[in-house]
Amino acid sequence: MIYYFGEFRLDTSREELFRETEPVDVEPLALSLLKLLIENRSRLVTKDEIFEEVWNDRVVSESALSTCIKSARRAVDDTGSRQTVIKTVHGKGFRWAAPVRADGARAEASHTILDDLDEKDGRWIEASRRPTVAILPFDILGNDPAAATLAQAIPHELIAEISRLRWIAVIARGSTFRFSSAQANLAEIREKLGTRYCLTGCVEMAGQQANISVELSETADGDVIWADFYKAPIERVHEVRETIVAQVIFAIEVQIPLSEAAKARLRSPDNIDVWAAYHLGLQSLYHFDKNENDRAIAMFDKAIALEPGFARAHAARSFAHFKTAFMNYSADRETAVTTARLAAERAIELDPMDPFANFSMGRSLWLTGDLNGAQGWLKRSTSLSPSFAQGLYARAWTEMVSCCSETGRKLSDQARNLSPLDPLLYGMLGTRALCLMMEDRNEEAAVWADRAANAPGAHVLIWLIAAIANDLAGNRETATNWAQRVWQHRRDISQEHFFRSFPFADESVRARFSGALSRQGFS
């Protein structure tokens, strides 16, 4: 990514700073600091984050940080008194203050939230329509040291993980940890932090068992939109900690978009803003129906028209056109393939660090048969966000059609465990069924294929998988029932359609599946 501000250009891929056309001599630590601040320009960056990212969490003094800040300011012609590029928020950290345009995109507001000592009105001010979430330190019941550690550690990990989700802003630890879950006043948190959502929790040690509850609420009305409860013996507490982090990421990826879409439906169609249009599009995106897919594309197009630099809208638009090609919704498949690829490329240009953009890029390459290229982008998406279940599922699918069945099965299980209510759950289950069929475990495969075909949102290609699995397992009546269900919805489905969507690398696998489809009447 290349960032432009004033006379300067910061090229993050080349690790270089330029003033107009001339390179600027800048120390590596100062350059890392500039990069950290500009990439997180939508929020305050705390001192703890700077120590963690710039010095890799090594113990250094405050004077070292002060020297690094001075070097960074000197490199961009800023000073401690002027602070036109780097603003000091006393006692908290620093934030980027200069207008920025990224890779030629239009100039944008450089900050999402101002510090609470801002001279305007002494409150945190929300300057972005992005959903924002505050993660508070968990409440502690009792005085067990282990509970106190978990109450701080889990929210800290959540803030780090959620910050990887580029479509939502998470308030920095230095701000949220001034509040507590036990005394959380959601109206006050909304006013001071400018956040629409708040996550609270409670930790209690009962003998040798840890009990942990978590709630995600809207700050406007206090409604709880998701909650869960976890318990584990103390020796397995790190396992449950990892589970909580994964499940909260899932809740934020699914429940907040649903909440945003519900709000958007209450607005006049002429008054739909960027985020409302995007989230309404997401609601339609996960329905595998041509009319719903067309609605999704219309909403994403509207979001992009309102905000051309909105990377996630381009990524979602790529996903929708991917569906057009994958599901054979249009006779002009090549146009859908090209559009999916171009939209994904634009999302990557705008935000190369967004897991969803990398996911969409990888999926678009499925359509051209470039499975190696797809795997690279999908691995990058899960490296950026290890709890990104849909990225793991997409990797599982790629391994499966490459006939690496064991790897595909393990990845699909991992995705399902991370996101047990995922809108693409049927795909995770179907991928597992196909992997089992490749291993000649046909009876097991039929059970998983039936689960996939009965899962919410399952479509004709999943029903075809169930027909194949049951045919190979000798369950001919069940196979016929699934085949008839396919015919009822799509009379035009053929083996060509199926194998174009599932380009299996192994001809023997293709031959076995083709035989099952032929027996069920698909030519």
Side-chain angles (χ1 to χ4, degrees):
M1 181 66 78
I2 300 175
Y3 296 101
Y4 300 87
F5 56 98
E7 300 175 317
F8 295 94
R9 169 166 52 96
L10 177 61
D11 188 332
T12 60
S13 63
R14 296 173 60 181
E15 296 285 335
E16 288 183 309
L17 177 69
F18 296 86
R19 185 168 193 161
E20 294 182 342
T21 59
E22 294 298 318
V24 177
D25 186 18
V26 56
E27 298 168 2
L29 288 175
L31 186 65
S32 296
L33 176 62
L34 288 170
K35 180 180 174 183
L36 175 66
L37 292 174
I38 202 169
E39 288 181 342
N40 292 276
R41 61 196 180 279
S42 63
R43 63 181 181 86
L44 173 81
V45 178
T46 66
K47 292 181 180 180
D48 286 345
E49 290 177 86
I50 294 172
F51 287 133
E52 181 179 348
E53 295 295 327
V54 176
W55 279 276
N56 295 318
D57 234 0
R58 298 194 304 274
V59 177
V60 295
S61 65
E62 287 279 344
S63 63
L65 173 59
S66 179
T67 299
C68 188
I69 291 288
K70 287 178 181 178
S71 296
R73 281 185 168 137
R74 185 168 56 249
V76 295
D77 197 23
D78 196 19
T79 66
S81 58
R82 187 163 57 241
Q83 297 193 11
T84 57
V85 178
I86 301 172
K87 180 172 180 178
T88 301
V89 183
H90 293 290
K92 298 174 186 176
F94 303 87
R95 64 177 175 82
W96 191 267
V100 174
R101 57 188 177 93
D103 197 22
R106 67 173 181 80
E108 61 181 356
S110 63
H111 55 279
T112 301
I113 298 171
L114 304 180
D115 64 277
D116 64 352
L117 297 179
D118 188 89
E119 53 276 5
K120 289 185 178 180
D121 61 3
R123 295 179 303 169
W124 290 79
I125 302 171
E126 186 177 30
S128 168
R129 287 175 293 187
R130 279 198 299 171
T132 52
V133 61
I135 313 295
L136 304 193
F138 288 2
D139 187 23
I140 307 165
L141 293 183
N143 54 7
D144 192 296
T149 299
L150 287 172
Q152 296 273 325
I154 294 174
H156 181 78
E157 287 188 37
L158 286 170
I159 290 170
E161 286 297 318
I162 295 168
S163 67
R164 301 187 186 194
L165 306 179
R166 313 290 281 189
W167 63 272
I168 187 168
V170 59
I171 306 298
R173 182 183 188 275
S175 302
T176 56
F177 273 43
R178 293 187 297 169
F179 298 86
S180 71
S181 291
Q183 300 173 344
N185 182 319
L186 295 181
E188 179 188 8
I189 289 168
R190 181 179 179 83
E191 178 186 7
K192 289 191 174 181
L193 300 182
T195 182
R196 303 219 285 265
Y197 300 92
C198 182
L199 188 112
T200 58
C202 179
V203 181
E204 178 185 20
M205 299 302 298
Q208 293 300 303
Q209 178 172 283
N211 298 322
I212 305 169
S213 60
V214 187
E215 285 187 357
L216 180 63
S217 305
E218 293 190 57
T219 57
D221 49 24
D223 286 352
V224 176
I225 63 173
W226 174 83
D228 213 335
F229 179 78
Y230 308 87
K231 58 183 180 181
I234 189 65
E235 64 269 16
R236 295 184 57 200
V237 74
H238 291 296
E239 293 178 31
V240 78
R241 176 178 55 80
E242 292 175 1
T243 299
I244 291 171
V245 171
Q247 291 298 312
V248 169
I249 295 296
F250 159 73
I252 284 174
E253 285 276 33
V254 175
Q255 299 300 332
I256 288 182
L258 288 176
S259 175
E260 294 289 309
K263 294 189 191 81
R265 286 197 303 271
L266 301 176
R267 306 177 194 179
S268 163
D270 295 330
N271 194 32
I272 295 179
D273 64 16
V274 178
W275 284 99
Y278 171 70
H279 287 292
L280 283 175
L282 282 186
Q283 268 208 327
S284 294
L285 183 64
Y286 292 108
H287 295 281
F288 274 70
D289 169 87
K290 184 181 184 303
N291 291 332
E292 288 288 343
N293 200 52
D294 289 343
R295 290 190 192 99
I297 291 171
M299 284 293 103
F300 298 139
D301 286 346
K302 183 161 189 171
I304 291 167
L306 290 167
E307 177 54 81
F310 183 14
R312 277 236 161 177
H314 289 279
R317 183 171 182 264
S318 172
F319 191 167
H321 285 284
F322 162 84
K323 280 173 54 186
T324 298
F326 190 78
M327 297 298 298
N328 300 287
Y329 287 151
S330 170
D332 187 4
R333 184 176 186 271
E334 288 308 308
T335 295
V337 171
T338 301
T339 305
R341 175 67 180 270
L342 292 175
E345 288 178 349
R346 183 59 179 148
I348 292 291
E349 287 173 6
L350 290 166
D351 193 348
M353 302 299 288
D354 183 3
F356 188 49
N358 285 267
F359 163 85
S360 294
M361 187 68 187
R363 296 253 289 190
S364 74
L365 294 178
W366 287 1
L367 303 173
T368 64
D370 183 4
L371 298 181
N372 288 332
Q375 194 67 286
W377 286 102
L378 295 170
K379 285 181 178 178
R380 179 173 162 82
S381 78
T382 55
S383 294
L384 290 166
S385 181
S387 298
F388 184 30
Q390 291 185 9
L392 290 167
Y393 153 61
R395 287 178 57 193
W397 187 96
T398 310
E399 294 286 354
M400 178 269 297
V401 294
S402 301
C403 296
C404 300
S405 60
E406 183 178 359
T407 303
R409 183 160 41 82
K410 289 178 179 178
L411 284 168
S412 68
D413 288 346
Q414 189 178 351
R416 194 176 70 256
N417 290 334
L418 283 171
S419 187
L421 300 176
D422 199 275
L424 297 182
L425 178 63
Y426 56 82
M428 300 172 187
L429 296 167
T431 296
R432 193 180 207 285
L434 286 167
C435 289
L436 289 169
M437 280 187 262
M438 292 175 184
E439 298 169 12
D440 286 326
R441 297 161 62 179
N442 296 321
E443 292 183 2
E444 288 180 69
V447 173
W448 286 95
D450 286 346
R451 286 183 61 186
N454 284 310
H459 50 76
V460 291
L461 294 178
I462 303 299
W463 301 336
L464 278 176
I465 293 171
I468 295 169
N470 280 283
D471 181 277
L472 294 177
N475 306 327
R476 297 299 166 81
E477 183 178 351
T478 303
T480 299
N481 289 338
W482 285 120
Q484 289 176 346
R485 188 167 180 179
V486 172
W487 292 124
Q488 289 168 4
H489 285 77
R490 291 281 299 272
R491 295 298 304 177
D492 63 331
I493 286 292
S494 66
Q495 289 197 34
E496 179 188 359
H497 289 144
F498 181 78
F499 289 115
R500 189 161 60 189
S501 296
F502 294 87
F504 299 103
D506 189 325
E507 285 300 323
S508 65
V509 168
R510 184 186 178 100
R512 286 178 59 224
F513 292 175
S514 177
L517 288 169
S518 296
R519 288 189 291 272
Q520 295 305 318
F522 295 96
S523 59

